[in-house]
Amino acid sequence: QLDDALDSANCGIEQDEDNARLYYARGAILCLMGLPGQALANYELAIEADPQYSMAWNNRGWASYLLGNYDVAMESLEQALELDPQNAYAYNNRGLVYLKWGEMEQAMADFQQAIDLGMKHPWAQINMINAGYMLN
């Protein structure tokens, strides 16, 4: 059904080329399809359309992380948190970058912040557990 969702996003973008949320949605679909490079391009279009869109910055960070571009990921996640300090997903994803860099205390603090902010998915809890195992 991802193909149908992608078709819907493409149709929406054809009708409203300045809609940041449609580029964001298309990026999310492409990421789920295992195409983080194409997703990244869409998150950048979303940011171009709405530079204040925190979740687009977050997902730009996530796609950059998946591509191994950790510096770009960190910059994007920092921007997401500057725009929305309550963005639990950005804390979780920044924690993953810290984890890659071996900065365990910062990673654990970010995972805890994501949990404290009520992240709807269990990713932060899982990441916290994995980071705890890495410490031992």
Side-chain angles (χ1 to χ4, degrees):
Q1 296 179 349
L2 289 174
D3 289 332
D4 291 340
L6 185 59
D7 288 342
S8 294
N10 288 334
C11 184
I13 289 169
E14 286 176 17
Q15 296 177 16
D16 186 359
E17 294 178 0
D18 296 325
N19 190 319
R21 275 131 185 91
L22 290 172
Y23 288 112
Y24 171 84
R26 185 166 69 182
I29 294 162
L30 289 165
C31 215
L32 288 171
M33 295 174 86
L35 302 167
Q38 291 180 37
L40 178 62
N42 279 271
Y43 298 136
E44 289 176 351
L45 289 168
I47 290 166
E48 184 178 314
D50 182 359
Q52 302 301 308
Y53 190 14
S54 176
M55 284 304 292
W57 284 101
N58 171 68
N59 281 33
R60 180 180 187 257
W62 173 244
S64 296
Y65 173 84
L66 292 175
L67 292 167
N69 299 328
Y70 305 122
D71 290 333
V72 173
M74 182 59 80
E75 291 170 10
S76 299
L77 296 164
E78 292 285 342
Q79 183 63 32
L81 289 167
E82 183 176 316
L83 292 169
D84 180 8
Q86 303 299 308
N87 188 332
Y89 296 94
Y91 280 107
N92 178 69
N93 293 337
R94 188 175 71 175
L96 290 170
V97 175
Y98 281 134
L99 199 58
K100 272 291 186 195
W101 287 346
E103 298 178 20
M104 302 303 264
E105 288 182 27
Q106 293 93 331
M108 298 287 276
D110 274 359
F111 297 145
Q112 187 61 55
Q113 185 66 23
I115 293 166
D116 292 347
L117 288 170
M119 190 171 171
K120 293 177 185 167
H121 296 89
W123 299 323
Q125 290 95 337
I126 292 167
N127 292 332
M128 178 83 84
I129 292 167
N130 289 335
Y133 283 125
M134 294 172 81
L135 281 172
N136 295 326

